[in-house]
Amino acid sequence: MLQNIVLMELYRAFKQKSTWVILVILFVTTILFSFFLLGFNISALFGISQDTMEEAATMDVNSAIDKFFKEGGIAQVAAAYERSSNPSYYEEDIEIVGEGMFYDSTACDVFRYNVSTMNELMFLAIFAGLFFGSDYAFGMARNYTLINKKRWMGLAGKGIAMAAYVLVMHIWIWLISAFSSTVWAKTFDLGISPKFFLYFVTTYLLILSFALVVACVTVVLRSRSAGITFGVLFSMGTISYIVQFADMWLKYKNDNIPQDFSLSHMMITMNLVDLRFDSPAWIYTRSFLCFLVYGGLACLISYLLVKRRDIS
């Protein structure tokens, strides 16, 4: 019976318009960001020095962008002052398309940069909320009378269908990253290695655990909008402010806590940012534990609620 339920949920996901709309929008946003990384001549546009470009290549994407905008802002102020004080000042024409800050990256590097933006999480939150919340929005659970005594099957069917969609999204982002490398990178290099496969599987599990948490919130509150809102805020880093406040409070109350300790290292989003191909084993272990804790608790809470509630 479980196999039939999984096939039913996969068919339902396949027929949802939102399934395909999300993949199309994800394609557009990933292509634009990949172009920004590989082919957008930010150095010439903002007056970034070559030393900064080389230094940024060793950073994560978010840190590199922050550094560029800080230095670029200073360079633009200096250029504006030069224009106003020197009538003979001449600026060369700037070509937007050129060498981006990660121009020398491989396809797998571009994939890692795209994963760290949390774009995938945001769109996945929308899909998870819509997919799990349809039972409450349209009363579809009333049609599942055959599995009323085995409600875990209905929940498991949705979970497996969700896992399949997460895998499709993850592969989709890699394909877009590889395509972007063929167009804008210095040379096309897939950069596939055993470390990449470990990274791919680990990030897939982290993103799957995020989807299960969004599904759990949707089940707990019986609301698609609540699940989507929570997921989007989570992916945007809004909850990290609460975590930062908790860090400050803990360190204020206990002087024995190391200064480099942070609860954010136990969050899904921070682990996605910290993970790299050459990350030490303990970061991969921490990420896998996050998957077990978040994914396991989300599944357990959802199951207990579905089991106890009346069908509605």
Side-chain angles (χ1 to χ4, degrees):
M1 183 182 292
L2 179 59
Q3 180 182 356
N4 293 333
I5 294 173
V6 171
L7 292 175
M8 178 188 69
E9 296 296 347
L10 288 173
Y11 177 77
R12 185 161 69 88
F14 180 82
K15 296 296 290 184
Q16 282 187 179
K17 290 183 179 180
S18 59
T19 300
W20 305 103
V21 171
I22 288 171
L23 290 178
V24 170
I25 298 176
L26 182 61
F27 171 81
V28 174
T29 55
T30 305
I31 279 286
L32 290 175
F33 188 72
S34 298
F35 167 72
F36 177 76
L37 295 177
L38 299 173
F40 185 69
N41 196 354
I42 192 173
S43 175
L45 185 63
F46 291 105
I48 306 296
S49 65
Q50 186 61 34
D51 291 340
T52 301
M53 291 286 290
E54 294 175 358
E55 183 182 354
T58 64
M59 299 178 175
D60 63 87
V61 175
N62 296 323
S63 299
I65 292 175
D66 288 341
K67 186 174 183 64
F68 276 175
F69 276 103
K70 287 178 182 178
E71 184 172 322
I74 296 173
Q76 290 301 304
V77 171
Y81 176 77
E82 185 69 21
R83 285 193 298 269
S84 62
S85 60
N86 185 2
S88 61
Y89 177 74
Y90 172 75
E91 289 182 296
E92 296 181 356
D93 293 335
I94 298 173
E95 293 187 7
I96 298 298
V97 179
E99 296 183 10
M101 55 180 144
F102 295 104
Y103 182 63
D104 294 331
S105 300
T106 66
C108 289
D109 288 329
V110 179
F111 170 76
R112 180 174 68 82
Y113 302 146
N114 280 307
V115 169
S116 66
T117 63
M118 308 302 158
N119 224 11
E120 185 177 0
L121 294 189
M122 182 173 67
F123 291 112
L124 186 59
I126 298 172
F127 176 82
L130 292 174
F131 188 65
F132 276 81
S134 58
D135 286 356
Y136 309 107
F138 307 114
M140 294 180 62
R142 297 187 183 94
N143 299 326
Y144 301 159
T145 54
L146 292 176
I147 58 171
N148 189 27
K149 294 182 179 179
K150 297 180 180 180
R151 297 186 187 179
W152 67 269
M153 285 190 179
L155 197 61
K158 289 184 176 64
I160 294 172
M162 173 64 67
Y165 190 72
V166 174
L167 182 59
V168 168
M169 289 186 74
H170 218 43
I171 295 174
W172 184 230
I173 289 180
W174 186 87
L175 291 174
I176 300 170
S177 301
F179 171 76
S180 301
S181 295
T182 64
V183 179
W184 295 302
K186 182 178 181 180
T187 57
F188 176 62
D189 181 8
L190 288 176
I192 292 179
S193 66
K195 291 182 178 179
F196 166 73
F197 287 108
L198 177 61
Y199 174 85
F200 184 93
V201 172
T202 305
T203 52
Y204 166 73
L205 293 176
L206 281 171
I207 294 170
L208 175 58
S209 65
F210 168 81
L212 294 174
V213 170
V214 174
C216 179
V217 173
T218 305
V219 171
V220 169
L221 300 179
R222 297 189 179 190
S223 170
R224 293 191 301 176
S225 57
I228 294 172
T229 302
F230 171 82
V232 171
L233 291 177
F234 199 129
S235 65
M236 293 174 61
T238 306
I239 297 178
S240 63
Y241 295 112
I242 302 174
V243 175
Q244 291 175 8
F245 178 79
D247 284 338
M248 295 171 58
W249 184 82
L250 286 173
K251 292 174 182 177
Y252 173 76
K253 288 293 184 180
N254 193 339
D255 296 334
N256 296 325
I257 297 178
Q259 289 300 313
D260 59 349
F261 171 81
S262 177
L263 293 173
S264 63
H265 293 146
M266 304 174 189
M267 295 181 62
I268 296 171
T269 50
M270 183 55 67
N271 279 276
L272 285 172
V273 171
D274 287 345
L275 271 176
R276 291 175 174 80
F277 301 143
D278 57 350
S279 292
W282 67 268
I283 292 184
Y284 277 95
T285 302
R286 186 183 72 189
S287 301
F288 185 71
L289 289 175
C290 280
F291 160 70
L292 291 178
V293 173
Y294 284 101
L297 285 176
C299 290
L300 179 62
I301 293 171
S302 299
Y303 166 70
L304 292 176
L305 284 176
V306 169
K307 182 180 179 182
R308 293 176 63 88
R309 283 175 175 170
D310 291 333
I311 294 179
S312 58

